[in-house]
Amino acid sequence: MHHKLVMNVYEDCIDILNIKRVIDINKDFVSVQYKDYYIDIKGNDLKVKKMLDNELLILGEIKKIEYR
Amino acid sequence: MNSKVIVKVNVSDMYTFLLRMNNKKIPIFYVNGNIIKIYYDDYIKLKDKYDIEVYKYCGIRMIYYLFLDNIYLFLFGLLSIISIFIYSNMITKVEVISNDYAFVSRLEESLKRYKISNYQMKKSYDYLSKVKDNLLEEYHNEIEWIEIENIGTHYLVRYEPRIIKDNKKDNNKYNIVSGYDAIIKNILVSHGEILKWNNEYVSKGDMIIQNSSEDSKVYGEVWYEVDIFYPYSLYSKNKTNKKKNLYRIHFFDHDYALFNFNPFYDKIIIEKTIVDMCPFPLRISYSKEEEVDDSSVLDVLDMAYINALEYVTNKFDKVISYNVLEKRLEKDGVRLKIFLSVLKDIGVKEKVYEGDSY
């Protein structure tokens, strides 16, 4: 069963649902995989608040979100 | 019981740690610096590999560890509750309200039998009702009504004594009058006016006590002169100092003395069994025999005289003194004239009717 990718983006946080896995986490960079795609989040002082199997909640200033 | 636990992770790079957790599919519900919230089972898996210490337990496990940490407090609280329960359900005092101390001690003994005493547990209403019924049955003649009241930890026993009216009691007033010429020796009276006192001479008909009760008694010294004839009905036997030692064989109801060539006509036998072949009816004994014969006439007279005196003195309540005035021997018996001084109830009751004036 496939779920659609859900991203709730706020000023100081971003909540991503139905991800496959987290590729990389850094202070200013987070990369997650959804199906065959990758989502890169760039920002300042990023902090992980919640990390479940398919959900990631990140606090911090979001600058850019890229799909590749 | 997969509850959650908040742990403190001591790692240099928290991002790498989180990434590894994600690769291992370990969910992290909360992250704050190096404090994370994970499942307890995951904590068990990780605690050997990483420097992890428990910060706080959640769920039922929190209650369990809270209980373990405060075990003495909980035990003390539990003991306190139990002791309060026991003490509040214990009888500390049983008080029977009465002035009749003899009966109170009897009633307390009975209550003890029903386990209503100090340091016993309180009883139910039904049990107390049964006890009351049993006590009423037990003390049927003494108790009219009984109530066992529970006030705090005390039991208060109230009862109503049964008053049985003595209908036979005579409430009339009597005057006690002397029935004989006598000297008063003792007066027993509960109420009334005493007119004559001890050692006073009273004639027959003299009033001794006025307005007295029925049970008043007056004892006085009364004198009798008795003329008595006593027959020679008694006789005694004297020993002749002739003795024999014999062996006897008893067979059924027969008695055979061995080597008894000159048997005594009248004798006293003192016997001792030597062989008793019970259950066979055969017995051998050793006996001492003493010959006796009839006593002389003078002895018979003396006995008659003594018995005559005994007969006279037994006729009266209490003989103070006696004196034989005359003693005459006749053909068939002895005739005596005796002067007796006797203590006797001399009071004669005369009922006082209302309107009588004395």
Side-chain angles (χ1 to χ4, degrees), chain B residues 58-115:
Chain B
C58 300
I60 294 168
R61 207 170 288 275
M62 181 185 74
I63 296 164
Y64 173 69
Y65 280 99
L66 190 74
F67 175 74
L68 277 187
D69 289 348
N70 302 292
I71 182 84
Y72 293 110
L73 190 71
F74 279 111
L75 282 177
F76 181 73
L78 193 71
L79 279 174
S80 304
I81 291 164
I82 290 168
S83 56
I84 286 167
F85 177 78
I86 290 171
Y87 188 75
S88 60
N89 282 290
M90 190 181 271
I91 303 165
T92 54
K93 193 179 179 185
V94 177
E95 196 177 347
V96 182
I97 298 173
S98 174
N99 291 327
D100 188 356
Y101 297 110
F103 184 71
V104 165
S105 60
R106 280 173 62 203
L107 194 61
E108 280 175 346
E109 285 296 319
S110 298
L111 288 168
K112 268 184 192 172
R113 270 195 282 115
Y114 293 111
K115 295 189 175 178

Side-chain angles (χ1 to χ4, degrees), chain B residues 169-324:
Chain B
K169 197 172 178 182
D170 191 357
N171 291 322
N172 292 323
K173 287 185 176 177
Y174 292 88
N175 289 329
I176 309 296
V177 177
S178 176
Y180 303 88
D181 294 344
I183 291 175
I184 297 168
K185 288 290 175 189
N186 197 5
I187 299 171
L188 301 173
V189 61
S190 58
H191 62 271
E193 191 184 344
I194 299 169
L195 302 175
K196 302 278 184 185
W197 294 90
N198 280 359
N199 297 322
E200 268 192 69
Y201 178 80
V202 285
S203 301
K204 189 176 180 181
D206 286 359
M207 192 184 291
I208 303 167
I209 308 164
Q210 194 174 328
N211 292 333
S212 180
S213 59
E214 192 194 13
D215 52 354
S216 298
K217 282 190 187 303
V218 177
Y219 291 95
E221 189 180 333
V222 183
W223 308 277
Y224 290 95
E225 200 175 290
V226 181
D227 194 0
I228 185 167
F229 175 79
Y230 201 84
Y232 300 135
S233 59
L234 294 171
Y235 64 95
S236 63
K237 289 181 177 180
N238 283 344
K239 292 175 183 174
T240 57
N241 289 330
K242 287 183 180 177
K243 294 179 182 176
K244 270 184 188 177
N245 295 330
L246 293 169
Y247 287 94
R248 290 175 171 273
I249 295 172
H250 305 268
F251 186 67
F252 283 103
D253 290 339
H254 300 283
D255 182 6
Y256 305 101
L258 297 175
F259 312 110
N260 189 11
F261 302 110
N262 294 312
F264 295 141
Y265 177 73
D266 201 359
K267 62 205 168 191
I268 299 167
I269 302 171
I270 301 165
E271 202 172 56
K272 188 183 174 184
T273 303
I274 301 166
V275 180
D276 190 357
M277 299 176 77
C278 186
F280 297 102
L282 182 66
R283 186 163 62 87
I284 300 167
S285 66
Y286 176 75
S287 65
K288 288 180 180 178
E289 291 184 1
E290 286 184 70
E291 193 187 33
V292 290
D293 61 355
D294 292 344
S295 62
S296 62
V297 179
L298 277 175
D299 285 341
V300 175
L301 286 176
D302 287 344
M303 288 296 289
Y305 167 65
I306 290 162
N307 282 310
L309 271 178
E310 266 185 22
Y311 174 78
V312 169
T313 50
N314 286 337
K315 277 275 184 186
F316 300 98
D317 295 342
K318 189 179 178 185
V319 177
I320 299 167
S321 64
Y322 67 90
N323 193 16
V324 180

Side-chain angles (χ1 to χ4, degrees), chain A residues 10-55:
Chain A
Y10 303 96
E11 284 183 353
D12 56 346
C13 75
I14 180 163
D15 190 12
I16 311 163
L17 295 169
N18 299 327
I19 56 172
K20 195 173 179 182
R21 67 187 180 106
V22 179
I23 305 296
D24 195 9
I25 305 172
N26 268 320
K27 213 173 179 181
D28 49 0
F29 177 75
V30 173
S31 177
V32 292
Q33 184 184 356
Y34 170 71
K35 290 182 182 175
D36 297 335
Y37 304 98
Y38 296 94
I39 300 155
D40 297 338
I41 300 159
K42 289 176 183 171
N44 281 334
D45 197 19
L46 297 175
K47 285 176 186 171
V48 177
K49 204 68 187 172
K50 187 178 177 183
M51 191 170 72
L52 304 179
D53 292 352
N54 56 352
E55 185 185 349

